Amino acid sequence: MGKRPAFDEIMGMTGDVPPRPALAALGKWLEDTPDGELRRRQEAAENTFRQLGITFAVYGDTDTRERIIPFDIVPRVFMADEWSRLSEGLVQRVEAINAFLDDIYGERRILKEGVLPADLILGNPQFRPEIAGMRPPHGIWAHICGIDLVRTGPDEFYVLEDNARTPSGVSYMLENREAMVRLCPELFREYRVEPVDSYPDRLLETMKSVAPRGRGAQPVCVVLTPGHYNSAYYEHSFLADSMGIELVEAADLVVDDDRVWMRTIAGRVQVDVIYRRVDDDYLDPLVFRADSMLGVPGLIAAYAAGNVAIINAPGNGIADDKAIYSYMPEIVRFYSGGEAKLPNVETWRCREPQALQYVLDNLDQVVVKLVDGSGGYGMLVGPTASRQEIEDFRRALIAEPHRYIAQPTLALSTVPTLADSGLSPRHVDFRPFVLTGSKGVQVVPGGLTRVALKEGSLVVNSSQGGGTKDSFVLMAEPRNQSQSQTIGGMTQSQGFGA
């Protein structure tokens, strides 16, 4: 975990002092509320999640039962000034990601000027030459981004990775807030918390704003899901229902005359915007994988003709690549003209011989990741790995160094978490959601806090045993007593899961 002690976001650096002054009320709440009562509320939330069907599946697991992601009752809190700084950095980064995608599928100035090695882009499996030269409606590629952040100190935030394909987890952000409003209303009376329940409306407005021009004031928007066997199906249906639009599968859509139509009992309806939760490989069997049963034949032709917007745009996977991530400071500088406001974690590109040698010499001290990996798979956490795991990774690195990057093992910040033995610090990361439409970029004032429930673990992914917390973003204005009836963006009369 590194030599530096972890910063606790409520208690400060040592964890044995009074809470940070602005969070004294939260510290008192934790002190005054018995563990048994906290546990009762937490179990009530998880029971509701189970009843609502908020579950996920772990691919390749012999236990095929779907499960809930464990919920922790202790919130994570961001001060208004912290959030303001984070938002500025997130907007800058997402604008750079959009400019980067537009460039590499267009003029490729960044390659011509030698900022990035051309083979890192053009030889990358996530680069889609099939869509080179195409431009999405309004020139926006990454409409929904989930930028994973970690914290190591009071003012030290780093971007851990960028998620620009189909970032998931927003349903947990929304359901976690509903749980806290219902079960811990006293916290919302004490703190003025920015609401997150407007996210579906913000997302729908973003979708409508990027509809092909000339399609009228009320474009037809849909969510395209691979189906109910997908691990994130609950989120797909939740978002479609929250936005009041149709959830469709490939069989519900047909392409005719380079236009996408939805089959309905009243006849065919032209579709203008598709929020797809289907990976590029399976999106259109005429262009990508011919054996895909999840995609819509002819969809890319309709997209190329400018008759439909696809959110996020095909080809965005290259912005998720961890080797590309290592160049994000240069990418931000190239497109914005300024330095990145949110720094990267130091990263060694194993494709470079000197970096590879350093990583091989320090495998027991670093974190090694596949450049195209996700979900906590294909990763080595050196300090907690066995000798055999380290040797296995050594062989993999030597055989295919270009497939890996490595980073130092950071002392990730902690937040008190309800463990079997009572409240105990656990490491966290954070995924805020950034929406980009034709009217600009907006950062949702909240996000998904993931927590490593195993003591000492740095792996927060749900597939690896992690859980989630609600994320409070505090308002800058003084608390207005007359508005105390509205908490967390919902009235007190609104129940969890209502």
Side-chain angles (χ1 to χ4, degrees), residues 85 214 353 387 473:
R85 294 196 304 273
R387 185 174 300 177
V473 174

Side-chain angles (χ1 to χ4, degrees), residues 185-216:
E186 65 272 24
L187 289 178
F188 295 90
R189 289 192 290 269
E190 187 64 45
Y191 292 110
R192 292 197 71 217
V193 181
E194 292 277 7
V196 295
D197 60 333
S198 63
Y199 179 84
D201 292 335
R202 295 178 188 230
L203 176 57
L204 183 58
E205 284 306 309
T206 298
M207 293 176 68
K208 289 180 177 179
S209 78
V210 296
R213 292 180 173 86
R215 286 296 297 150

Side-chain angles (χ1 to χ4, degrees), residues 10 81 92 119 137 145 148 201 206 210 387-388 403 435 485:
I10 294 178
D81 60 332
Q92 179 198 48
D119 70 293
C145 285
D148 288 353
D201 292 335
T206 298
V210 296
R387 185 174 300 177
Q388 185 61 52
R403 296 190 64 203
L435 299 175
Q485 289 296 311

Side-chain angles (χ1 to χ4, degrees), residues 22-73:
L23 298 177
L26 180 57
K28 188 173 188 323
W29 177 77
L30 291 175
E31 185 178 342
D32 292 349
T33 309
D35 278 3
E37 176 60 17
L38 292 175
R39 209 172 299 280
R40 184 194 67 78
R41 298 185 193 188
Q42 184 162 299
E43 289 173 356
E46 292 187 344
N47 286 338
T48 305
F49 290 164
R50 197 171 285 108
Q51 291 165 10
L52 291 172
I54 311 175
T55 60
F56 74 103
V58 178
Y59 296 128
D61 196 334
T62 55
D63 182 355
T64 58
R65 291 174 300 175
E66 293 196 338
R67 62 197 76 176
I68 64 166
I69 297 180
F71 169 74
D72 187 73
I73 198 74

